[in-house]
């Protein structure tokens, strides 16, 4: 695997910038769980995509935000007239393949998926029921990875984060215990301390639903649960959060609404 210069815009190390052998040595990861999987997933734009490109585009996996984080600039294909940044679909597909292969090298009980938002709830629940992956939905309790006396304490060997901006506490704790981190990251995501980035629209119901539909399918194939893609019984819509649940989720997201100003009849602005 060719060496890539260290990304000056990010203080964290990533699998793009550090050789597999160095990452294995630094984080005490078994070589059998890393080298082979990353060699097989060397970026090759001639490879067949996991799904039809049109399906990716239809669900908006490539749509970013109007803002650019330094560590995400390399994944941006262009900026649209409405100032939204668009990510490269081919690179997204390659990163998904790499993440799936890396993920499959760990025992499910050693992997923790973290998501505060409900967009990934069905997909994560299915991963837990089918393969025994551990999941943390909703608010991440401080000390889950670092406090052995906590009733929520677990010791993961790999964590997967759906939104680095919202699930920052899980990333901070995983960094302290030197556990590798995979994350879905949009153009404005804080990617510090993320080891393997998957450039992705992690703010859309349909895009996140498509990702976990695809992830579950590929893991079922790797574990021999199904013999071909045609045997997969789930539809993408099964993984997409309903609009009603989305409104409820947004109301519980903890983000403060912008203050409103009301103009009274005596022509003074009153802050409420």
């Amino acid at each position: 695997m060719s060496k890539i210069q260290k990304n000056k815009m990010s203080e964290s190390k990533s699998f793009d910038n550090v050789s597999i052998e160095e990452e294995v040595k630094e984080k005490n990861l078994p070589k059998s769980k890393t080298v082979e999987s990353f060699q097989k997933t060397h970026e090759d734009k001639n490879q067949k995509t996991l799904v039809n490109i049109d399906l990716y585009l239809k669900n908006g996996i490539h749509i970013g935000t109007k803002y650019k984080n330094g560590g995400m600039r390399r994944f941006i294909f262009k900026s649209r007239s409405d100032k939204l940044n668009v990510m490269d679909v081919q690179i997204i597909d390659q990163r998904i393949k790499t993440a799936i292969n890396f993920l499959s090298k760990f025992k499910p009980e050693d992997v923790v998926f973290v998501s505060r938002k409900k967009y990934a709830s069905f997909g994560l629940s299915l991963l837990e029921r089918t393969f025994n992956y551990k999941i943390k939905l909703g608010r991440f309790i401080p000390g889950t990875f670092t406090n052995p006396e906590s009733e929520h304490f677990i010791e993961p060997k790999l964590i997967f984060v759906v939104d680095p901006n919202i699930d920052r506490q899980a990333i901070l704790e995983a960094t302290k215990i030197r556990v590798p981190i995979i994350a879905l990251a949009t153009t404005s995501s804080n990617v510090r301390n993320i080891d393997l980035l998957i450039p992705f629209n992690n703010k859309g119901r349909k895009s996140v639903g498509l990702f976990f539909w695809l992830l579950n399918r590929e893991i079922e194939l790797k574990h021999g649960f199904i013999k071909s893609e045609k045997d997969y019984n789930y539809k993408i819509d099964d993984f997409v959060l309903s609009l009603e649940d989305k409104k409820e989720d947004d109301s519980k997201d903890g983000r403060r609404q912008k203050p409103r100003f009301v103009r009274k009849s005596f022509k003074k602005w009153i802050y409420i």
Side-chain angles (χ1 to χ4, degrees):
M1 177 176 290
S2 61
K3 294 183 177 179
I4 301 177
Q5 292 182 343
K6 184 177 181 181
N7 185 352
K8 295 182 179 180
M9 301 301 296
S10 174
E11 297 180 10
S12 64
K13 292 183 178 180
S14 71
F15 285 115
D16 301 304
N17 306 324
V18 184
S19 68
I20 304 303
E21 289 76 13
E22 289 179 42
E23 195 68 32
V24 169
K25 182 177 179 180
E26 182 178 342
K27 295 187 175 180
N28 297 319
L29 298 176
K31 289 187 178 181
S32 60
K33 292 183 178 180
T34 55
V35 179
E36 181 181 356
S37 62
F38 274 79
Q39 288 176 341
K40 288 183 178 179
T41 52
H42 182 72
E43 293 185 356
D44 182 0
K45 292 191 176 183
N46 295 320
Q47 288 183 351
K48 181 181 177 182
T49 56
L50 291 170
V51 297
N52 190 289
I53 291 292
D54 291 337
L55 187 59
Y56 278 148
L57 298 177
K58 178 182 177 181
N59 288 277
I61 71 163
H62 61 306
I63 304 299
T65 67
K66 293 182 179 181
Y67 305 100
K68 303 176 184 178
N69 180 286
M72 292 299 297
R73 289 178 182 271
R74 56 195 167 129
F75 301 114
I76 297 175
F77 176 68
K78 67 175 183 179
S79 295
R80 303 192 319 192
S81 58
D82 58 3
K83 297 184 180 181
L84 285 176
N85 296 297
V86 177
M87 294 173 281
D88 192 316
V89 177
Q90 289 283 357
I91 294 178
I92 293 174
D93 182 78
Q94 293 157 11
R95 287 300 180 108
I96 293 174
K97 292 175 183 176
T98 302
I100 291 172
N101 279 331
F102 186 69
L103 185 65
S104 67
K105 299 302 177 182
F106 290 79
K107 294 179 180 179
E109 57 269 24
D110 292 333
V111 181
V112 179
F113 285 82
V114 180
S115 179
R116 182 165 184 170
K117 296 183 73 67
K118 286 184 178 179
Y119 287 2
S121 58
F122 181 84
L124 294 185
S125 297
L126 187 61
L127 285 171
E128 183 182 40
R129 294 196 308 267
T130 308
F131 307 105
N132 200 31
Y133 283 104
K134 294 179 180 178
I135 64 172
K136 290 294 178 181
L137 290 171
R139 179 175 176 268
F140 184 85
I141 306 299
T144 298
F145 297 156
T146 56
N147 183 7
E149 297 182 359
S150 170
E151 60 178 326
H152 305 283
F153 180 69
I154 50 178
E155 297 181 272
K157 294 183 179 178
L158 173 70
I159 75 164
F160 189 111
V161 173
V162 175
D163 191 332
N165 288 355
I166 297 178
D167 303 314
R168 204 69 209 164
Q169 181 64 30
I171 294 173
L172 292 174
E173 294 193 14
T175 302
K176 288 181 179 179
I177 62 174
R178 305 180 71 81
V179 168
I181 304 164
I182 302 175
L184 298 180
T186 189
T187 57
S188 59
S189 292
N190 179 353
V191 297
R192 184 178 182 182
N193 295 324
I194 304 299
D195 296 293
L196 179 55
L197 292 172
I198 305 175
F200 203 86
N201 176 9
N202 60 10
K203 298 186 179 299
R205 293 182 306 118
K206 293 183 178 180
S207 57
V208 173
L210 173 62
F211 176 82
F212 283 100
W213 172 83
L214 184 57
L215 180 62
N216 273 277
R217 188 192 74 180
E218 293 302 306
I219 294 179
E220 284 196 15
L221 284 168
K222 286 185 175 295
H223 284 266
F225 282 62
I226 56 176
K227 295 182 179 180
S228 69
E229 297 174 3
K230 295 180 180 179
D231 298 329
Y232 193 47
N233 295 324
Y234 293 97
K235 297 178 181 179
I236 297 175
D237 289 342
D238 295 333
F239 291 78
V240 178
L241 188 74
S242 67
L243 288 174
E244 291 75 14
D245 289 336
K246 178 184 181 298
K247 292 179 182 179
E248 181 183 351
D249 187 36
D250 289 342
S251 67
K252 294 180 180 180
D253 192 23
R255 293 175 293 183
R256 295 181 180 177
Q257 294 182 348
K258 293 182 179 180
R260 296 182 298 110
F261 293 86
V262 178
R263 191 172 189 176
K264 297 297 182 179
S265 58
F266 50 85
K267 297 182 180 182
K268 287 187 177 181
W269 294 93
I270 299 178
Y271 181 89
I272 63 172

